[in-house]
Amino acid sequence: MRLLRLALASLRSRALTTTLTVCSIALSIALLTAVDALRAGTKAGFAGTVSHTDLVVGARGGELPLLLSTIFHVGTASNNISWQSYEHFAHHPAVAWTIPISMGDSFHGFRVIATDDNLYAHYKYRGDHSLSFATGHSPQSIFEATLGASVANQLHLGLGDRLTLSHGIEERSILKHDATPFTVAGVLAQTGTPIDRSVFITLLGEEAMHFGWEGGTPPAIGEAAPKLDVSQLHVDQITSFLLGARSRMSTLYLQREINTYKPEPLSAIIPAYTLQELWVLLDYADEALSLVSAAVLVVGLLTMLVALYTAVNERRHEVAILRAVGMPSSQILLLFVAEAVVIATVATVLGFVAVYVGLLLAHGAVERATGIPLMITRPSQRVLLYGAATIALSAVVGLVPAWRAYRTSLADGLRG
């Protein structure tokens, strides 16, 4: 305890140097921890976004883009699929339920998802959690909409408010569906998934918005828009759909049947397997950032070594006095090691706290800006190993100036 008090007093006497050394090591620890926390948080966020969905089905193309666009609303699908193909598999004897999804419009940068009541009945996230309403209900008529929690909170919208949706997924689209405003019928409870950042309408509601848009474009300037006739509305295409099989055994059979479907080129992916491709891509970036962070940690430890070693010359008189009052040379050696360990311990704790406080404050903004779900997870064993290794290495680094101080004679220190 006396040795620790002496170490703390010595470090306080060199407050500026100590602070700079602590900050340099804390920065390296923060980088290492942030890389690991972002990797673990992203994995947990992605994995918890959808549960109990056996297959995601869309047009033939890349598996990862299909998953990202359908589940995480990142990017766009390669093509649409016909309603006839969807109906064929929706009534397949091996299929328990399906959720049709049609995308292509937005509201203030938030995705507009056209679907049906199957979404509210069958969509699961984070295990067995189902969608629930904070207020209101699902859309019951063509021009009713349901808002995700983040959309309602950020735009200060509630039941009865009217929405004018935009064509396209750009935040500032020049094409507005002014002729077909929607009314908010419900607001979903917070889920911590991309559901929170979405606006949900009916499939016929989406068709009504685009009624008279020949070839996907609105009527030309000066051309009269056709009067909406609800009886003529019908769904021709959707973007993709989620599928739940009646048994686990039939999932692979269904996937093969969908992938070899003759009338239309389709792709069926198993979400968990496709996510593994994403983790492989993230692992490359994770390894690169970890190497950079490790290099920064080495620089931080070298900075501490230089600071402590340089201080030996300045502390020769101090060391001589300690010896004169009866402190053994071995205690002098331990004093320098203790100072190095204190610096590393404080820096490690500071680095950990900075990262997790930063994630707590910023994860909502990150999700809104990128659309990527980010969970705050507990420090992994790898992070704890980083911290323990840093403290252990600091003790080794502290032995260098400690050995020099140990070798300093009493007479030499008093002369200095």
Side-chain angles (χ1 to χ4, degrees):
M1 185 60 69
R2 185 187 65 173
L3 196 64
L4 180 60
R5 287 199 301 268
L6 282 174
L8 293 174
S10 178
L11 292 174
R12 281 197 299 269
S13 68
R14 305 186 312 280
L16 179 59
T17 303
T18 300
T19 301
L20 293 176
T21 305
V22 166
C23 289
S24 65
I25 298 176
L27 176 61
S28 61
I29 290 295
L31 287 173
L32 286 165
T33 306
V35 169
D36 189 87
L38 289 173
R39 178 184 58 83
T42 303
K43 280 189 175 183
F46 273 88
T49 295
V50 61
S51 305
H52 301 293
T53 294
D54 296 310
L55 295 173
V56 178
V57 183
R60 184 71 53 80
E63 296 184 353
L64 193 54
L66 174 60
L67 180 71
L68 291 176
S69 61
T70 301
I71 302 298
F72 305 105
H73 308 164
V74 177
T76 56
S78 59
N79 210 339
N80 289 334
I81 61 177
S82 68
W83 184 254
Q84 289 77 13
S85 296
Y86 166 72
E87 286 277 271
H88 173 80
F89 289 104
H91 296 95
H92 194 286
V95 174
W97 54 264
T98 55
I99 301 174
I101 293 174
S102 185
M103 295 184 286
D105 298 287
S106 61
F107 179 67
H108 292 278
F110 295 103
R111 294 289 181 105
V112 174
I113 313 296
T115 185
D116 59 18
D117 283 340
N118 283 346
L119 173 74
Y120 312 102
H122 299 295
Y123 189 89
K124 302 285 187 181
Y125 67 97
R126 310 213 190 289
D128 290 322
H129 290 83
S130 300
L131 299 181
S132 61
F133 284 87
T135 182
H137 52 77
S138 63
Q140 302 298 314
S141 66
I142 291 178
F143 294 112
E144 286 188 339
T146 293
L147 305 181
S150 296
V151 179
N153 292 335
Q154 292 181 43
L155 301 180
H156 307 290
L157 296 172
L159 298 182
D161 288 336
R162 294 172 73 81
L163 316 176
T164 299
L165 307 183
S166 302
H167 187 68
I169 60 175
E170 295 81 10
E171 187 169 355
R172 296 184 179 180
S173 174
I174 61 174
L175 296 177
K176 303 286 186 181
H177 296 288
D178 300 301
T180 54
F182 285 74
T183 302
V184 177
V187 177
L188 290 168
Q190 190 85 28
T191 65
T193 72
I195 294 290
D196 297 337
R197 300 181 296 279
S198 305
V199 177
F200 298 94
I201 61 175
T202 63
L203 292 166
L204 288 181
E206 183 183 51
E207 294 298 321
M209 280 196 301
H210 300 97
F211 186 78
W213 285 42
E214 300 298 334
T217 58
I221 298 176
E223 181 181 349
K227 185 177 180 180
L228 177 63
D229 184 355
V230 176
S231 64
Q232 296 185 23
L233 295 178
H234 60 277
V235 181
D236 292 323
Q237 295 181 329
I238 60 174
T239 305
S240 56
F241 63 92
L242 310 183
L243 180 153
R246 293 192 181 277
S247 68
R248 294 291 183 183
M249 297 295 294
S250 59
T251 299
L252 294 178
Y253 166 76
L254 279 169
Q255 184 183 29
R256 183 172 62 253
E257 183 176 339
I258 293 170
N259 287 336
T260 58
Y261 186 58
K262 297 296 184 182
E264 184 176 4
L266 301 176
S267 288
I269 61 173
I270 300 175
Y273 290 165
T274 305
L275 274 177
Q276 296 304 315
E277 296 182 21
L278 183 61
W279 304 151
V280 170
L281 295 176
L282 288 177
D283 283 342
Y284 288 123
D286 178 32
E287 290 176 6
L289 290 173
S290 294
L291 289 175
V292 172
S293 302
V296 175
L297 176 58
V298 171
V299 172
L301 291 174
L302 289 176
T303 301
M304 180 175 66
L305 172 61
V306 170
L308 292 177
Y309 194 84
T310 304
V312 172
N313 276 335
E314 303 172 1
R315 300 173 63 187
R316 288 164 61 193
H317 194 62
E318 172 191 337
V319 171
I321 292 175
L322 290 175
R323 284 189 174 178
V325 297
M327 178 176 282
S329 297
S330 59
Q331 293 291 306
I332 300 293
L333 186 145
L334 290 176
L335 175 63
F336 277 79
V337 172
E339 290 180 10
V341 170
V342 167
I343 289 174
T345 302
V346 172
T348 300
V349 172
L350 185 61
F352 284 171
V353 171
V355 167
Y356 284 98
V357 169
L359 285 176
L360 185 64
L361 296 177
H363 83 280
V366 171
E367 290 181 357
R368 290 192 296 270
T370 64
I372 297 175
L374 181 63
M375 296 288 291
I376 299 178
T377 59
R378 294 183 300 176
S380 67
Q381 290 185 350
R382 188 168 73 163
V383 166
L384 297 177
L385 182 61
Y386 287 156
T390 300
I391 295 172
L393 287 173
S394 69
V396 175
V397 168
L399 285 173
V400 177
W403 179 253
R404 185 179 174 188
Y406 176 83
R407 297 288 301 272
T408 303
S409 66
L410 177 58
D412 181 55
L414 292 176
R415 283 198 303 269

